[in-house]
Amino acid sequence: MKPDPLLTVRDLRVAFRGVEVVRGVSFEVRRGEVLAVVGESGAGKSLTARALLGMLPAEATAGGTVRPDLSSERGRRISLVPQDALSALSPVHPVGDQLAAAVRSVRGVGRKEARALAVSALERVGIADAARKARAFPHEYSGGMRQRAVIAMATINEPDVVVADEPTTALDEDHRDQVLRVLGERREAVGAALVLVTHDMDVVREHADRVLVMYAGRLTELGPAKAVLGRPRAPYTAGLLASLPRHAPAGRRLPTLRGTPPAPGALPPGCAFAPRCPLAADDCHAAEPEPQAVEGRLVACHRWAEVPHPAAELFREQPYVAS
Ligand code: SF4
């Protein structure tokens, strides 16, 4: 049985000055799962994740629904691990004070208890000598420690959903794995769902239960990570996977998605991926494909049945065009 959805997103739309950058995305976030949201820059994945928190830029207009409406309980029910750990922490307050303030803003506890909770939250994310470190300022932390402190901040009030927006982009591989491990441990400890926004298919492979692949503001493929990555049915998913170095045959060029995504407001007719898609045909240029249920997932592609296995073959002979 599928776990209950914690969040149900229906027909989410986000626009700036009338130009839609998220164009009708529907999905669920289920209790305890890691849902990865992937796609190239500009696919709308960060805006989709931020819409879950009710944290869209002031100039954005949004449509559709995110249920339950968590905005009134933000901080307790849903929290954010932003991309830039430094910007998430105030430079002028010790880290422990900031954690304690986060606790006090949500739970009715006294200063002393909040302080103790802050220290144990730092301990739980693997910060040694946490009582002393709690008195230090963010600039006295290393990059990896700061990112862990932000995870402590995002999980200290035991949210139902943690949204992590490219939490490892600025980190090297060792720190990346460490941060994802800590995030995973906290998720398990508090029983939260984790929505992990990333452009890194290796991260999806290693950490996600389900994956939502986005392109040009739309859902391209959504389903169990193992199935989607093992046998993608959307050409775009196949292209993202083909671009991973492990698919480079010895002595041959890495198969690569040619071109770049279209700019919002300048979408081609029909399927937005058609100019880059090796399977594109007349029907693709005529109508944008709607998500349909296929092999235990949703796929938005007219020609999903023609995607070969292994799917990297689709992109093998394409000339590389720098993007
Ligand atoms: S609908 Fe057509 S152009 Fe779009 S991804 Fe599928 S095959 Fe390619």
Side-chain angles (χ1 to χ4, degrees), residues 9 11-16 19-27 37-49 63 212-221 236 261-265 267-268 271-273 276 288-291 300:
V9 180
D11 199 28
L12 178 70
R13 292 173 187 276
V14 181
F16 291 89
V19 176
E20 275 194 343
V21 287
V22 176
R23 303 184 298 127
V25 176
S26 299
F27 62 98
V37 184
V38 298
E40 293 161 291
S41 298
K45 52 192 193 301
S46 284
L47 285 168
T48 298
L212 165 62
V213 184
M214 290 186 67
Y215 187 77
R218 298 254 292 178
L219 178 159
T220 294
E221 192 158 7
Y236 179 59
L267 300 177
C271 176
F273 187 57
R276 305 172 75 189
E288 190 151 42
E290 292 298 327

Side-chain angles (χ1 to χ4, degrees), residues 220 233-236 270-281 283-285 287-289 299-304 306-307:
T220 294
R233 283 306 198 172
Y236 179 59
C271 176
F273 187 57
R276 305 172 75 189
C277 180
L279 286 180
D283 51 345
C284 303
H285 299 293
E288 190 151 42
V299 182
C301 174
H302 295 307
R303 314 179 81 83
W304 63 268
E306 294 168 43
V307 174

